[in-house]
Amino acid sequence: MDEVIGRWSVRVQTPIANETETMLHAGMNVAFRDSASEAGYLSKLNEGQRTAVLHGDGAVAGPLLIIAGAGSGKTNTLAHRVAHLIVRGADPRRILLMTFSRRAAAEMSKRVERIAAEVMKERAAALMEGLTWAGTFHSIGARLLRDYALEIGLDPSFTIHDREDSADLMNLVRHELGFSSTESRFPAKGTCLAIYSRVVNAQADLALVLGDAFPWCAGWVDELKRLFNAYVEAKQRHNILDYDDLLLYWSQMAAEPEFAEHLGSRFDHVLVDEYQDTNRLQAAILTAIKPDGRGLTVVGDDAQSIYSFRAAEVRNILDFPSLFPVPADVVTLDRNYRSTDAILNAANAVIAEASERFTKNLWTDRASAEKPAIVTVRDENEQASYVCDQILKERETGILLKQQAVLFRAAHHSGPLEVELTRRNIPFVKFGGLKFLDAAHVKDMLAALRFVQNPRDRIAGFRVMQIMPGIGPSSATQAIDSMEQSLDLEMGLARFSPPGRAAADWPLFVDLFCDLRRGAGWPAEMERARLWYEPHMERKHEDATVRRADLLQLEQIASTYPSRERFLTDLTLDPPSATSDEAGPPHLDEDYLVLSTIHSAKGQEWSKVFVLNAVDGCMPIDLSAGERKELEEERRLLYVAMTRAKDSLHLITPQRFYTSGQAARGDRHVYASRTRFISASMLQHFHVTSWASQIQGEGSAARPRAAIDIKTKMRSMWN
């Protein structure tokens, strides 16, 4: 169906299954009122959750802010609200649900279907097929830009660069402008991209961003403006969008009144999860498409806003109630289903010192006499010994390693602990490390597919051509220029004369490009590209067997997508988290300890939690001990770490830190004090203790009986 807006003809719907279409038309305007079933699914909610779910009772109502404390059932509440809207007759095709991960969106959709099925039985599955607008801000943005590409001057065949490819393009432009050869050191490509991304997402002036987050780059304002202008031109020339463009283009489109009105009319209900993690650009999109706030529901917790390094703006959630002509309704979820009351009392005391927040004190029915522990140890090595002793002790009582976690402010803080865990043969998994798409062989394969999809993508072309021996940057540039200067891309590529070393491989590459461009059929194209690449992979990498397993996995992933375009888009926006390795012997004990940064631990929970380095310099980390807003975020980080614990919490404070950069076994050190976020008045909520690894036991050697007159010996030295 097409809808005419001004001079634009815009697609507003996509065909869906006949069964779903029939169900929607037959029952969309009828509220399903099986009161017994309805009472059943609502009875599982507490009073605050029920108030949030019933807001508007299915109708398009005013704006709603749900302040959901840690462990208060936020996801469950949001899923019930979406399900209730559908039960009350809302068109699922006109519901926009945005989360911060694809996995969260998929899980949310499954929950909604299960809840709706309690009322609507077999009708729920058919209706849920219409809930297609569920995903991240970036994935929704990518869909909308594809839909409206022609209306906003985009080529629909655009490709999306991940962060590394964007940094490579930034570096190429940086070199072309001559900034790589300046006498004083110009910011590196990664820093330049980070500055660009911060300016875009924070919607802030470049000079202010440099002064606030990148003060060492403050002298390059004019040069960076030239660089970013050239970078934007290069992206447009190559038909490329980066992550930030997905939001920026969407925002610019929504800034046009006609488009804003149309986008707002496509969705009756807009629901946003983790609203405290949104940046100014995302908030601007929401206010543009829903200027009066009608139909808008946001869920979040200001006390868990910890992503300012991604330009997340805590003011978005703090200012939301007064943002619209009619003030938003605010519902607070303060009943915690995760932690004991002792842990919550301590966490509440920490966050109560925040300078600005929504007032809430988490409470629970889970009573416990075990207070969170503040454990003082001598240094980081003793800290590691303490953690290992405790987790092994708990394991013997029946608490699995998987039910325990060690959290830390920065990834390098776990170094001594990892050594001790390895020495004691305790298995562990650390969140982080090399991502799947960062592996060289995977990037090579994806570059080949991206270049076929969008031959103007010079970064992809550079990478895939340089896989072949004898092709360097200069030859790759000449080949791409030959394509662009020719009326026919394939002919231009075939006419290029490669260097002598590449003479044998070049025709095979041309054949690959032509076959895939003509459409060998998806996902057969993946196998064709892999077979071309494997000989080069065996030449470049010693562990080619392991890497081939990754490519086969990639091929399997590709088979689940209907087209090359969808595959490349989704893989860029939602990449797998890790690379594979050769399978070892099967483990009889699949239990392992979890190590994680606090940022990665958000949204998780464990029975027993250890927080490393709860001292000034680490928490708050010394780089964030400047402005008040940075210190406030560090306080929220500690709060997030504490509220991950269900039954037991240990904050460990090493007294001594050895300075880095000295010779082995150096003895220069600094003393640390307990984190400033736990004041003396708060200690009533904690069990304060100390621990030493070497304690004289009863089995120690007997004391010597002989007496020695040391003082006489000392005097005699000078006689």
Side-chain angles (χ1 to χ4, degrees):
M1 176 180 177
D2 291 341
E3 187 173 307
V4 178
I5 305 175
R7 60 182 183 277
W8 298 295
S9 176
V10 181
R11 298 179 299 278
V12 297
Q13 290 184 8
T14 55
I16 58 176
N18 290 336
E19 182 185 0
T20 307
E21 189 76 38
T22 302
M23 178 61 67
L24 287 166
H25 284 299
M28 194 55 62
N29 297 317
V30 180
F32 297 96
R33 299 186 183 274
D34 186 335
S35 57
S37 299
E38 186 176 309
Y41 80 87
L42 291 177
S43 66
K44 301 174 184 177
L45 305 175
N46 63 43
E47 185 179 350
Q49 293 172 332
R50 195 178 301 113
T51 301
V53 169
L54 294 176
H55 177 76
D57 202 24
V60 179
L64 172 65
L65 169 62
I66 304 173
I67 299 295
S72 62
K74 164 180 68 66
T75 302
N76 188 46
T77 303
L78 190 58
H80 273 82
R81 175 152 178 75
V82 176
H84 188 70
L85 289 173
I86 295 173
V87 168
R88 286 296 194 216
D91 187 343
R93 296 170 302 181
R94 298 178 61 82
I95 295 176
L96 175 60
L97 174 61
M98 288 187 285
T99 65
F100 272 77
S101 74
R102 302 289 282 272
R103 182 184 60 81
E107 176 61 27
M108 188 78 71
S109 298
K110 291 177 182 176
R111 285 200 190 194
V112 171
E113 183 173 353
R114 287 198 300 268
I115 297 164
E118 293 186 30
V119 181
M120 303 162 62
K121 310 303 180 187
E122 68 277 357
R123 297 173 292 184
L127 279 173
M128 286 303 299
E129 290 183 19
L131 189 65
T132 57
W133 288 97
T136 64
F137 270 93
H138 291 88
S139 65
I140 297 294
R143 281 184 64 183
L144 289 173
L145 294 181
R146 296 264 187 217
D147 279 356
Y148 297 101
L150 297 178
E151 288 81 15
I152 61 176
L154 273 177
D155 185 338
S157 66
F158 66 81
T159 51
I160 302 170
H161 269 188
D162 60 20
R163 291 294 184 192
E164 188 172 335
D165 287 338
S166 299
D168 288 342
L169 180 59
M170 182 75 76
N171 197 42
L172 180 66
V173 176
R174 177 176 174 271
H175 181 71
E176 289 174 350
L177 292 176
F179 294 151
S180 57
S181 58
T182 53
E183 293 184 6
S184 58
R185 183 172 63 91
F186 193 77
K189 63 178 184 180
T191 304
C192 292
L193 184 65
I195 296 170
Y196 173 84
S197 182
R198 187 69 169 259
V199 170
V200 168
N201 287 289
Q203 293 289 280
D205 181 76
L206 174 59
L208 292 176
V209 169
L210 292 178
D212 184 37
F214 304 90
W216 62 93
C217 305
W220 299 101
V221 175
D222 294 336
E223 289 83 357
L224 286 169
K225 283 183 178 179
R226 285 178 56 202
L227 174 64
F228 296 158
N229 185 61
Y231 173 64
V232 171
E233 290 179 353
K235 286 189 295 182
Q236 293 180 358
R237 197 164 55 248
H238 303 156
N239 196 28
I240 292 165
L241 300 184
D242 61 23
Y243 274 149
D244 303 318
D245 287 334
L246 299 176
L247 299 181
L248 187 58
Y249 275 59
W250 184 7
S251 173
Q252 294 292 332
M253 184 169 64
E256 294 293 327
E258 287 181 298
F259 262 106
E261 185 179 354
H262 171 68
L263 289 172
S265 66
R266 287 189 68 166
F267 306 107
D268 295 330
H269 302 276
V270 178
L271 302 99
V272 184
D273 195 12
E274 305 288 3
Y275 190 67
Q276 79 279 349
D277 295 334
T278 56
N279 56 45
R280 289 182 179 175
L281 194 57
Q282 291 163 327
I285 291 171
L286 292 175
T287 53
I289 63 176
K290 294 292 180 184
D292 58 359
R294 288 181 55 79
L296 181 59
T297 299
V298 301
V299 185
D301 182 6
D302 56 295
Q304 298 186 69
S305 178
I306 58 175
Y307 293 111
S308 66
F309 64 93
R310 298 179 186 167
E313 177 55 69
V314 70
R315 296 250 41 108
N316 287 348
I317 192 168
L318 292 174
D319 297 339
F320 186 86
S322 58
L323 197 60
F324 304 100
V326 177
D329 290 337
V330 181
V331 177
T332 302
L333 307 182
D334 54 6
R335 181 178 179 180
N336 181 284
Y337 293 92
R338 175 187 300 155
S339 307
T340 64
D341 58 349
I343 293 173
L344 290 182
N345 290 338
N348 286 335
V350 168
I351 202 62
E353 297 297 315
S355 60
E356 190 174 9
R357 67 186 186 103
F358 286 107
T359 302
K360 62 179 178 301
N361 285 305
L362 300 181
W363 62 277
T364 182
D365 292 331
R366 298 189 63 218
S368 174
E370 182 186 349
K371 293 182 179 181
I374 297 178
V375 185
T376 301
V377 296
R378 185 175 58 192
D379 53 30
E380 289 181 286
N381 291 328
E382 284 218 344
Q383 176 176 245
S385 296
Y386 173 78
V387 170
C388 290
D389 283 0
Q390 290 297 312
I391 62 172
L392 290 176
K393 178 182 175 182
E394 295 294 335
R395 183 174 178 267
E396 292 304 313
T397 66
I399 300 178
L400 299 175
L401 295 180
K402 283 183 180 179
Q403 296 173 323
Q404 306 180 62
V406 183
L407 308 183
F408 31 86
R409 174 63 180 84
H412 65 273
H413 288 172
S414 65
L417 175 61
E418 292 178 46
V419 172
E420 185 69 9
L421 290 169
T422 304
R423 188 183 72 79
R424 298 201 192 190
N425 201 28
I426 300 173
F428 66 90
V429 171
K430 184 177 180 180
F431 289 168
L434 182 66
K435 300 293 189 290
F436 184 77
L437 296 188
D438 292 338
H441 55 296
V442 176
K443 289 191 73 69
D444 287 346
M445 274 289 290
L446 294 178
L449 295 175
R450 286 196 179 106
F451 186 56
V452 170
Q453 179 72 20
N454 177 18
R456 288 156 58 189
D457 188 342
R458 296 181 80 92
I459 295 297
F462 282 163
R463 185 175 189 106
V464 70
M465 290 182 187
Q466 291 181 71
I467 293 172
M468 295 173 281
I471 301 289
S474 178
S475 301
T477 301
Q478 293 172 16
I480 294 173
D481 289 342
S482 175
M483 292 174 65
E484 292 180 349
Q485 293 165 8
S486 178
L487 294 175
D488 184 82
L489 295 173
E490 298 174 13
M491 187 179 296
L493 197 63
R495 280 192 347 214
F496 173 70
S497 299
R501 286 183 59 202
D505 292 314
W506 188 256
L508 299 176
F509 172 67
V510 175
D511 289 344
L512 172 73
F513 181 83
C514 294
D515 287 352
L516 298 190
R517 286 286 294 177
R518 292 166 187 168
W522 185 261
E525 299 172 19
M526 270 298 292
E527 184 182 16
R528 174 78 170 84
R530 176 176 59 80
L531 293 173
W532 170 82
Y533 176 64
E534 279 184 351
H536 299 291
M537 183 176 65
E538 292 171 359
R539 174 178 51 80
K540 291 173 62 179
H541 304 289
E542 294 181 358
D543 56 345
T545 304
V546 176
R547 295 173 185 265
R548 185 175 182 274
D550 282 339
L551 298 186
L552 291 172
Q553 181 186 356
L554 195 66
E555 200 170 313
Q556 188 175 3
I557 295 170
S559 66
T560 64
Y561 287 87
S563 67
R564 180 174 63 224
E565 176 196 291
R566 282 285 304 277
F567 170 69
L568 291 173
T569 299
D570 279 18
L571 207 63
T572 303
L573 296 177
D574 188 30
S577 60
T579 57
S580 67
D581 200 352
E582 287 184 295
H587 294 287
L588 298 178
D589 186 0
E590 291 293 341
D591 198 15
Y592 52 82
L593 180 70
V594 175
L595 309 185
S596 173
T597 62
I598 300 173
H599 286 99
S600 297
K602 187 171 172 290
Q604 307 295 315
E605 60 182 38
W606 295 273
S607 178
K608 193 177 186 75
V609 170
F610 301 87
V611 182
L612 302 185
N613 299 342
V615 296
D616 264 17
C618 296
M619 199 175 295
I621 202 163
D622 48 9
L623 293 175
S624 297
E627 296 187 9
R628 189 184 73 175
K629 65 178 184 180
E630 294 173 335
L631 284 173
E632 289 299 319
E633 179 157 326
E634 293 291 311
R635 187 193 313 274
R636 296 194 292 268
L637 268 168
L638 176 59
Y639 174 79
V640 167
M642 294 174 68
T643 53
R644 300 310 95 196
K646 296 165 65 177
D647 304 309
S648 179
L649 172 66
H650 290 230
L651 306 179
I652 311 169
T653 57
Q655 290 182 309
R656 182 180 298 179
F657 288 83
Y658 289 91
T659 57
S660 60
Q662 52 181 326
R665 295 179 295 279
D667 60 356
R668 289 179 59 88
H669 64 271
V670 295
Y671 286 110
S673 59
R674 184 183 68 243
T675 173
R676 70 187 70 179
F677 302 135
I678 300 178
S679 63
S681 62
M682 298 179 193
L683 294 181
Q684 60 179 313
H685 300 294
F686 297 88
H687 173 60
V688 183
T689 184
S690 59
W691 186 86
S693 59
Q694 299 186 7
I695 302 175
Q696 292 281 350
E698 293 183 358
S700 59
R703 297 171 65 90
R705 294 182 179 181
I708 304 174
D709 189 353
I710 296 291
K711 291 192 288 185
T712 301
K713 286 180 174 286
M714 297 299 291
R715 290 196 304 270
S716 66
M717 288 177 60
W718 306 102
N719 293 335

